[in-house]
Amino acid sequence: MLLRVQDLTRRYPGQTRAVLQGAGFELDRGESVALTGESGSGKSTLLHMLAALDQPDAGQILLDGADISRLDDRSASAVRRRRIALVFQHFNLIPALTVAENIALHARLGKCHEAEWTNHLAERMGLADLMRRYPEQISGGQQQRVAIARALALRPDVLLADEPTGNLDEYASEEVLRLMLELVSEAGSALLLVTHSQQIAARCQRHLHLSGGQITEGACA
Ligand SMILES: Nc1ncnc2c1ncn2[C@@H]1O[C@H](COP(=O)(O)OP(=O)(O)O)[C@@H](O)[C@H]1O
Ligand SMILES: [Mg+2]
């Protein structure tokens, strides 16, 4: 099992009810899984903990059997540079870097940059002609493709995508998700995709639902 999440609990200061109350699930290598749940149900909170950006009050997050839920900052950033990549709704590109530099950035930091793979990703994402441009000179859909290529350039064990197309129109969103699913599979990465769309959830192999602080395995639509 690639990722095993057990009994995860997280309560923010001042809240009466914990956001996560013993949430658990498992993710196999290369699996694509949709995560749904109402707004405020704790999906982003969960992803932040899986990316070691935040720590649970209780529970474990085992990546290949090793608990990553209570790492120090240095080890947590090492996990993000090598094993677990994140794509957010806001693309978080570096404005002063070109498209090419943005795509290679995390892989370079993680010392796992492979020029051939990175170029392949750029090509498949339709970015080959935009490599010298800056983020402000390309569309929102193109910016999100850069963010996804940057994440996959690491060949992460897990790609966490938090409503990655929430800022895009339906047409751009459809295209970006289709490419993301294809390239995640080429990269051999597992995918945990937060989405509101049942249609998109149906394209993933499994469907998890977060409600009342717990995760249930949904029927694959
Ligand atoms: N940093 C924080 N401090 C306090 N409360 C937070 C923080 N982040 C999220 N919350 C609260 O936790 C709940 C879950 O938020 P979130 O994980 O963002 O849900 P979702 O992504 O499913 O919409 C919400 O009630 C939200 O207001
Ligand atoms: Mg959220």
Side-chain angles (χ1 to χ4, degrees):
M1 193 55 59
L2 175 64
L3 190 69
R4 175 170 284 149
V5 176
Q6 291 173 330
D7 282 330
L8 224 53
T9 298
R10 179 73 169 103
R11 182 198 300 267
Y12 288 112
Q15 281 190 332
T16 43
R17 266 168 52 98
V19 182
L20 300 176
Q21 306 179 25
F25 68 96
E26 293 183 343
L27 191 61
D28 237 333
R29 209 163 274 284
E31 237 181 352
S32 63
V33 177
L35 175 66
T36 57
E38 281 179 17
S39 181
S41 60
K43 304 179 298 296
S44 296
T45 298
L46 174 65
L47 261 61
H48 283 139
M49 286 190 293
L50 299 179
L53 288 166
D54 184 20
Q55 299 193 353
D57 297 309
Q60 292 187 309
I61 302 168
L62 302 172
L63 181 65
D64 278 329
D67 194 353
I68 59 161
S69 66
R70 286 165 191 84
L71 298 176
D72 59 32
D73 287 350
R74 194 190 166 99
S75 312
S77 65
V79 166
R80 284 191 299 277
R81 281 178 186 170
R82 299 303 299 262
R83 308 202 58 189
I84 296 188
L86 266 161
V87 180
F88 299 99
Q89 185 170 344
H90 304 283
F91 317 129
N92 300 66
L93 300 180
I94 312 281
L97 298 182
T98 63
V99 164
E101 289 162 346
N102 266 288
I103 294 177
L105 182 67
H106 293 182
R108 288 217 164 97
L109 289 171
K111 297 190 173 45
C112 55
H113 179 247
E114 297 169 39
E116 206 172 314
W117 169 238
T118 306
N119 288 336
H120 174 71
L121 287 169
E123 189 116 334
R124 292 279 279 106
M125 281 290 185
L127 297 168
D129 295 333
L130 307 175
M131 298 295 264
R132 288 159 187 265
R133 296 210 197 168
Y134 289 86
E136 65 177 16
Q137 300 172 321
I138 61 178
S139 74
Q142 290 165 339
Q143 289 181 41
Q144 190 56 306
R145 292 179 201 206
V146 174
I148 294 167
R150 179 178 63 181
L152 288 175
L154 304 171
R155 287 187 193 274
D157 290 322
V158 185
L159 177 65
L160 303 170
D162 196 353
E163 302 188 44
T165 59
N167 273 340
L168 304 181
D169 64 45
E170 200 178 322
Y171 178 77
S173 163
E174 179 75 9
E175 178 71 359
V176 167
L177 285 166
R178 182 182 65 77
L179 285 165
M180 184 173 75
L181 284 168
E182 284 176 23
L183 291 171
V184 157
S185 146
E186 274 190 50
S189 305
L191 171 68
L192 185 62
L193 169 65
V194 174
T195 177
H196 286 295
S197 161
Q198 288 297 329
Q199 223 175 335
I200 290 157
R203 292 221 212 135
C204 294
Q205 291 162 337
R206 283 167 57 211
H207 177 187
L208 301 175
H209 188 72
L210 180 56
S211 173
Q214 301 204 338
I215 291 178
T216 48
E217 185 97 31
C220 203

